[in-house]
Amino acid sequence: MKFDFETPPNRRSTDSQKWQKYQGKDILPMWVADMDFRCPPPVLEALHQRVDDDIFGYARPTLSTTEAVLDYFQNQYNWKIQKEWILWLPGLGVGLNAVSRTLGKPGDGIITPTPIYPPFLLAPRWADRELATVDLVKNGDSWEIDWDAMEKAITPNTKLFLLCNPHNPVAKVWRRHDLEKVADFCLKHDLVLCSDEVHCDLILDDIEFTPTALISEEIHNQTITFHAPSKTFNIAGLACAIAIIPNPKLRLSFARTCKGIVSEVSNLGYAACEAAYRHGEPWRQELLQALRSNRDLLLQVVRDELPGVSATPIEATYLAWLNVEELHLDDPIGFFEKGGVGLSDGRFFGDGRYVRLNFGCPQVTLVEGLRRMKKSLETL
Ligand SMILES: Cc1ncc(COP(=O)(O)O)c(C=O)c1O
């Protein structure tokens, strides 16, 4: 390996949200979705260079930064994006709130399959929209969208479908045939589709990724796609993300919702974004190897050494959705914290039978986390 994915960085006593949560406690944070890996060297170089300019006035992306995005999408996903389709955002949490306010009016509906990344559940509520959630179903080991239940949940007031692909937390990459159904459903019910594809550069298996907007010309015209370099290149704190909206009317509505409320991306965010998209590929390839190795180890340990805990295949992301219902714990998060591991609470995603474990860390950290979980289970 050319890059170091093995040495744990010291993030204690830094401004890290992930590590501050357990400051002063012997608890390994394996919750919020950022990784304990140093950023790609070209990103660090670009940031150093930008700091050396000594001025941090209001920022605007250069043509070169925008072209870095266009080239990335063309090369990775064969999607020819026009530069005017891109709206820059300081984060996709912001984007989820903005899109929830853009479609329809208070009281109108939004639909999403669950469990799901918690802001999908919260943003509609802050926007005074009615959220319909439909549980994903397990077909053997594979998660599926329950289309009969989706048809039952939709109302004439539903205006927006929130999709997460790859799906956080179940780590599934929706296939072309799934996305065709998503597109048909949205077109049939006249829904705008918001497809959050922030994890699409983190596919661990040999599965082709299709941006939902590319399923057909009709859905292309009705889709808001979210993307960012934040998860993949571990620069979430630099707050730089994009919404891709080909339809000019929809784009204007979304931009209007954001006007005066959503802050600008910073100079450092743009610099890191451009460097990541232009020069981050060799690092990303090695990251995928490290994550695959962690994923394989984790699934083996869950299977062989953590009785009462189970997992489904993890096709993408660095997040494991672990079923702990057989343990009959009143407070799974408290239980594992007591044993020295900080996980995300499945209840916030819509299913308290699960916890989510972030394995985006050097393998020694993961091994220690799993050792602690095993020890905790031995106390039951
Ligand atoms: C699916 C999904 N969307 C959005 C976000 C948050 O993005 P941001 O940090 O840009 O607000 C996350 C973070 O984990 C995520 O998993």
Side-chain angles (χ1 to χ4, degrees):
M1 288 245 195
K2 193 165 149 220
F3 306 103
D4 183 3
F5 292 98
E6 287 171 8
T7 314
N10 185 4
R11 301 184 75 191
R12 285 181 203 280
S13 309
T14 68
D15 57 10
S16 157
Q17 202 180 109
K18 184 181 185 181
W19 285 81
Q20 268 193 20
K21 179 168 182 190
Y22 297 115
Q23 189 132 29
K25 298 184 180 151
D26 183 21
I27 298 177
L28 280 179
M30 306 187 98
W31 62 292
V32 69
D34 71 31
M35 302 186 284
D36 293 329
F37 295 130
R38 289 190 171 75
C39 298
V43 170
L44 297 175
E45 277 158 37
L47 288 169
H48 283 298
Q49 268 178 27
R50 188 63 195 79
V51 168
D52 287 344
D53 287 345
D54 296 349
I55 298 182
F56 303 95
Y58 296 117
R60 181 176 279 189
T62 62
L63 182 58
S64 170
T65 303
T66 301
E67 283 175 351
V69 177
L70 306 187
D71 292 347
Y72 189 80
F73 275 82
Q74 175 75 65
N75 295 337
Q76 299 284 354
Y77 304 114
N78 203 17
W79 188 2
K80 198 168 170 43
I81 292 173
Q82 310 289 321
K83 53 178 181 301
E84 61 273 16
W85 299 353
I86 297 176
L87 297 180
W88 294 88
L89 294 168
L92 295 180
V94 172
L96 287 164
N97 280 279
V99 78
S100 298
R101 286 165 162 81
T102 298
L103 279 307
K105 54 183 187 318
D108 280 346
I110 298 178
I111 191 163
T112 197
T114 47
I116 188 66
Y117 172 62
F120 280 59
L121 303 176
L122 297 172
R125 197 194 294 164
W126 304 142
D128 290 323
R129 301 308 196 260
E130 289 293 322
L131 180 69
T133 60
V134 176
D135 290 341
L136 294 172
V137 286
K138 254 198 263 176
N139 181 6
D141 243 3
S142 180
W143 294 92
E144 310 285 351
I145 296 174
D146 183 344
W147 289 108
D148 290 339
M150 292 287 286
E151 288 290 351
K152 285 190 190 124
I154 194 120
T155 75
N157 290 337
T158 311
K159 300 286 190 279
L160 176 67
F161 184 139
L162 295 176
L163 178 76
C164 190
N165 186 28
H167 190 98
N168 173 9
V170 306
K172 160 125 182 178
V173 182
W174 299 112
R175 310 298 201 270
R176 178 169 271 278
H177 63 88
D178 298 309
L179 300 176
E180 282 166 358
K181 286 193 186 149
V182 170
D184 287 349
F185 185 80
C186 290
L187 294 170
K188 176 176 165 195
H189 295 289
D190 201 17
L191 308 179
V192 165
L193 173 67
C194 177
S195 187
D196 182 335
E197 301 180 359
V198 71
H199 294 283
C200 73
D201 301 316
L202 294 170
I203 296 181
L204 305 177
D205 291 329
D206 188 18
I207 301 169
E208 191 188 352
F209 177 76
T210 310
T212 322
L214 293 189
I215 290 295
S216 69
E217 220 166 277
E218 291 103 305
I219 201 66
H220 192 258
N221 202 38
Q222 217 159 295
T223 300
I224 294 176
T225 302
F226 286 165
H227 195 267
S230 54
K231 298 285 151 196
T232 311
F233 300 101
N234 212 22
I235 50 175
L238 289 172
C240 179
I242 53 172
I244 304 164
I245 314 179
N247 180 322
K249 224 170 128 197
L250 194 52
R251 193 162 66 238
L252 184 66
S253 305
F254 186 88
R256 206 172 261 171
T257 310
C258 296
K259 256 300 173 265
I261 301 175
V262 174
S263 67
E264 307 281 338
V265 173
S266 73
N267 335 67
L268 295 179
Y270 286 128
C273 173
E274 177 167 350
Y277 282 147
R278 277 201 194 287
H279 308 295
E281 189 57 16
W283 185 91
R284 186 180 77 97
Q285 288 303 329
E286 286 197 14
L287 168 72
L288 292 176
Q289 277 185 52
L291 293 180
R292 260 179 225 122
S293 167
N294 278 0
R295 184 265 317 258
D296 294 347
L297 174 85
L298 169 82
L299 290 178
Q300 179 255 308
V301 170
V302 167
R303 199 177 49 237
D304 299 341
E305 300 179 44
L306 301 184
V309 182
S310 60
T312 43
I314 300 167
E315 299 175 342
T317 77
Y318 45 81
L319 306 165
W321 186 235
L322 302 177
N323 186 316
V324 294
E325 85 187 290
E326 277 183 29
L327 301 175
H328 303 292
L329 301 169
D330 291 337
D331 172 17
I333 294 304
F335 172 79
F336 286 112
E337 280 176 350
K338 201 162 156 241
V341 182
L343 304 170
S344 296
D345 192 335
R347 281 180 307 175
F348 299 140
F349 297 74
D351 196 337
R353 296 172 302 165
Y354 288 79
V355 293
R356 196 192 69 176
L357 182 151
N358 174 347
F359 59 87
C361 57
Q363 199 158 92
V364 284
T365 310
L366 177 64
V367 167
E368 175 58 15
L370 294 171
R371 188 191 68 77
R372 291 178 181 205
M373 286 176 75
K374 185 177 171 192
K375 242 179 115 196
S376 302
L377 295 186
E378 285 163 8
T379 66
L380 286 174

